[in-house]
Structures are given as structure tokens and as C-alpha cells.
Amino acid sequence: MEASLFIESALKKASCRPWLMPLALSACDLLAVAAAWAVCVLVRHVLGGVFPLSAYFSLWPLVGLYLAIYATLGGYRVLLHPPREMKICVLGTSLAALIFAALTFWLRNPLEYSRSILLGATLLLLILVPAVRLAARSFFARFSWWGYGAVFYGFDALDPGKAAAMFARLNPVIRPLALLSHHSREGLEDIGETAGLPVFDGPRTLASMPPGRVNALFVVLAGSDPAPETARVIETASAHFTKTIILHDAMYLGNHWGRTVDVGHLLGLEIVQRLLDPKRMLLKKSTDVLLSLLLLVVALPFMGLIALCVRLDSPGPVIYRHNRVGRDGRMFKMLKFRTMRCDSEEIFREIIMADEDLRRDWEADYKLCHDPRVTRVGRFLRRTSLDELPQLLNVLAGEMSLIGPRPIVPAEAEKYGEVYEMYLRVRPGMTGLWQVSGRSVLGYAERVDLDAYYIKNWSFWLDLYILLKTPAAMCNLRAAY
């Protein structure tokens, strides 16, 4: 009874509002759409557009068209995975633009409306809507009404390492409250302690819960060999929780490269390896070349200024070339602005390798928080990742990708274990999933897991999601060194 009372109290404190969460997202979309159109209309008018402003402001009810399309595509499901949410936003915005163009053609003389305004608003919204949603989700996560309280139900077959990684990377919309154990509490005590969750007896807790359903998640951690009682547990939980999610060890294959299929009225998982699809790889390569060219043009003045600062700060070459492992194991020279003194090799042998603590830190992460070899300008460049701008040339040369796993040196291969073979299938990236998930504050094992996740779950939308989060990650100076 004590466990059920604890869970009931925790769920009340979580105060989930299923109707308020999609309403908040739709309000953010409404503001983004209205702002984009207002800015484009006013800018065009200031630049000499000959049209009455009333011709556009009278169309304000059509702003709701965007929201209707997002909703139809499932864009207001709070548990959406970020790349999938981005896909819905981009497709919905594009579809709304086409419908809007058709409506203006049929309802009025199309010459009264500026095509540049429609194009400008659409291009702005393709970036603005996903960006506003990312910011909104981060902001709303601090309120108790945002997200679902979640009770996890584990079996003894659950892998502790995988469970700990799952809890560490949960979407903020999922708020763990308790962990229920099907057999003995001892089997899941370590997992509960790591996740900061109380562990209770599962069957007894479910049996003592009061009647009625609550707006919360019930997550079944089935492990690799689900117990025969799993179906009974799910049926019992569905009477108390509005949403039930089942996690099997097979689900660790990924959530973007697998899709469910019906096989003789049984649930099957079809594996889709996108990285082996030539058409998708051509799309990724084309996007790399186009975006890197645009970024290089914009960044050239800044790169010239950085080169001058590097030269004035310490003697030596401006560009540093270092051997890294590329696709199919081919070595290439990765370019960076020099951030270390020219005598860094001597310092490495005399200071770092001679100090036991520094040597241990280096062998653990191949990075040092306070590296004596780094120059003053180099320290700033590393924290902002501006030292990596020359890698745009590596991207144009086909040696790297804009987004991909972290470039590694041959000595790091053994730390990747079985993931290393997977790593060799793709080009390393200037930015990637681990960079936008914590940068240098992450442990080496976490970086490897995130690189493996990216490779297994690659999609065009995942790349766009990472690209959109990269500027914010670069501004997080405390997470890099």
C-alpha cells in the first residue's frame, strides 16, 4: 500500500496536463508563423513593394492553416522524437505554402500578392518553426504541467548498462517517478540507485493501486527474455495508466532504421539500413557540398581574422594537420586552426606523461580539461569550436561530412570495440550527435554510444536536427575544452 500511495502522490505532484502541452506548442507555432509573415510583408513594403498592407493582414485567418496541417501530420504529439518532429514541421510548412499559393490564385488576382513574400516567409518558417519548438520544449520542461510522469516496470532479465544509458538520455517530456520490480527488488536496486528512483515490488504495487486511470506512462522494461507474465502486467497497467510503452532488448537496434510490420498477425520489426542506400548517401553528400560552400563563403572573413590572431598569439603555422581515421579506414589530414604551442610534443612527454594524474586523464578521454599545451587564443577557439572551421575544406574534399561521428585517431579504435567496424562505414563529421549532447563533459563510453546511435539511426532529418542544435552547443562554453 505504501508504494501505491507514493506513486499516486508523485503523479499528483507531476500534474500532467495532456490538453495544455499541445496547446502550448500550437501557440508557439502560431507566434512563429505570424511573426515570419509580418516580418516578410513589412520588409517587402519598406523596400518599395507597391501593395496595400490590408491585402495581407486580411488573410490572417489563413495562419491557422499551418496549425491544421501540423496537427494532421501528427505534429502535436508530445512524445515525438525531435528529428521526426522536424520532418513534420518542414513538410507541413512546404504543404501550407503550396496551398496558400493556390488559394491566393483562385480567390484574388495573383498579381496583388508578392511571390517574394511567400517564398521568404516559407524559407524563414522552415528554420523558425523547428527552432522555436526546440526552444519552447526546453523552456516548458521546467514546469510541472509539461511532460508525463512515468512508472517503469522491470524484469530481472533487464540489462543494467542499457537501462542506465536509457535513463540518462530520456526525453525531458518523460519524467521517471518510480521503478517497479517484477521478482526481487535486489535485481533492480543498482539501476534504481543510478537513476535516483525508488524501487518497489511490482505485482503488489499494481494490485494495490486505486481504481481509475491517470495521465501517465507505464513503461515495461521487458529485457531480452520477457517473462510469461508480461502480457498480464500490461493488461493490469492499462487499467491505471493512459499510455503503456513496451521496451524489449531488440529495440536497442534503434528507432529510425526499424519500422513495424505485420507478419501473420504478429508484430515484426523491419530493419532498414539507410547508410547502405546509395540514393540517401548521394543526398547526404550533395547537402554536405552545398552547405559547406555556403558556410565557407560566410566564414572566410572570420577565418582570416582567426588566422591573424593565431599568428600573433604564438609563433608557428596557422593551420594544424593531424592524421585521423576516415571512411573505410583510409587516413586523411584533418585541418584545424592551431591551438597548441609548437613544442607541444615535448610538453606532452615531459609534463603530461610524467604526471600520473594527467596521464590517467589523457588515456581515459584523449582530452585534458587544463591542457598546458593550449595557447590563449587556442583555448577560446576550442571552447567555441571555431578552430574546426578549416574542416569545411575536408568536407569539400570528400574526407569528412558536416554531420557524423567524431573523427578519431588510430589509437582510439580499441575504445570503440565492436562499434569500430560500424564507424568505418561513414565519414566522420565536423559536428555530430555527441557534440550537441554535452560535448567534452561526456565520458568516452557515452560518446561511443552516441556515435553508434547516429550511425544506426541516420536520417536526413536527424542531420537537420543536429545542425539546428549546433549553434547552441557552440555557445555552451562550459561544456568544451
Side-chain angles (χ1 to χ4, degrees), residues 39-221:
V39 167
C40 291
V41 169
L42 292 176
V43 168
R44 183 68 183 92
H45 193 268
V46 170
L47 294 178
V50 183
F51 56 85
L53 290 176
S54 59
Y56 282 93
F57 289 113
S58 63
L59 296 176
W60 68 266
L62 291 179
V63 171
L65 177 65
Y66 288 88
L67 274 63
I69 294 176
Y70 296 149
T72 302
L73 295 176
Y76 294 114
R77 296 198 302 269
V78 182
L79 292 172
L80 273 176
H81 191 259
R84 194 175 299 277
E85 183 176 32
M86 177 170 288
K87 178 179 181 180
I88 290 174
C89 291
V90 171
L91 294 181
T93 298
S94 304
L95 181 58
L98 293 175
I99 296 176
F100 190 84
L103 287 175
T104 55
F105 177 83
W106 288 108
L107 295 179
R108 286 194 178 190
N109 185 346
L111 297 179
E112 293 184 12
Y113 299 97
S114 171
R115 287 171 293 181
S116 62
I117 292 178
L118 175 59
L119 178 61
T122 300
L123 293 177
L124 182 57
L125 285 172
L126 289 176
I127 300 175
L128 189 60
V129 171
V132 168
R133 280 190 167 224
L134 279 175
R137 283 180 176 272
S138 177
F139 175 75
F140 292 143
R142 67 186 68 183
F143 299 104
S144 61
W145 54 265
W146 179 263
Y148 290 95
V151 174
F152 291 79
Y153 194 102
F155 292 84
D156 290 343
L158 187 65
D159 184 286
K162 292 179 179 178
M166 178 201 66
F167 280 115
R169 300 169 191 162
L170 278 179
N171 189 314
V173 80
I174 300 177
R175 300 185 171 185
L177 301 177
L179 177 59
L180 307 184
S181 177
H182 186 72
H183 295 297
S184 62
R185 290 176 53 181
E186 288 75 13
L188 299 179
E189 284 285 359
D190 291 341
I191 297 174
E193 183 177 352
T194 302
L197 299 176
V199 180
F200 301 113
D201 181 271
R204 183 178 303 174
T205 301
L206 283 181
S208 60
M209 288 191 68
R213 304 178 82 202
V214 293
N215 289 310
L217 300 178
F218 186 81
V219 184
V220 179
L221 305 174

Side-chain angles (χ1 to χ4, degrees), residues 299-312 318 337-338 377 380-381 384 386-387 389-390:
L300 274 177
F302 301 99
M303 293 174 68
L305 179 61
I306 292 172
L308 179 62
C309 293
V310 171
R311 177 60 61 87
L312 294 176
V318 171
F337 282 117
R338 181 173 57 83
V377 171
F380 171 77
L381 294 178
T384 57
L386 292 176
D387 61 320
L389 284 177

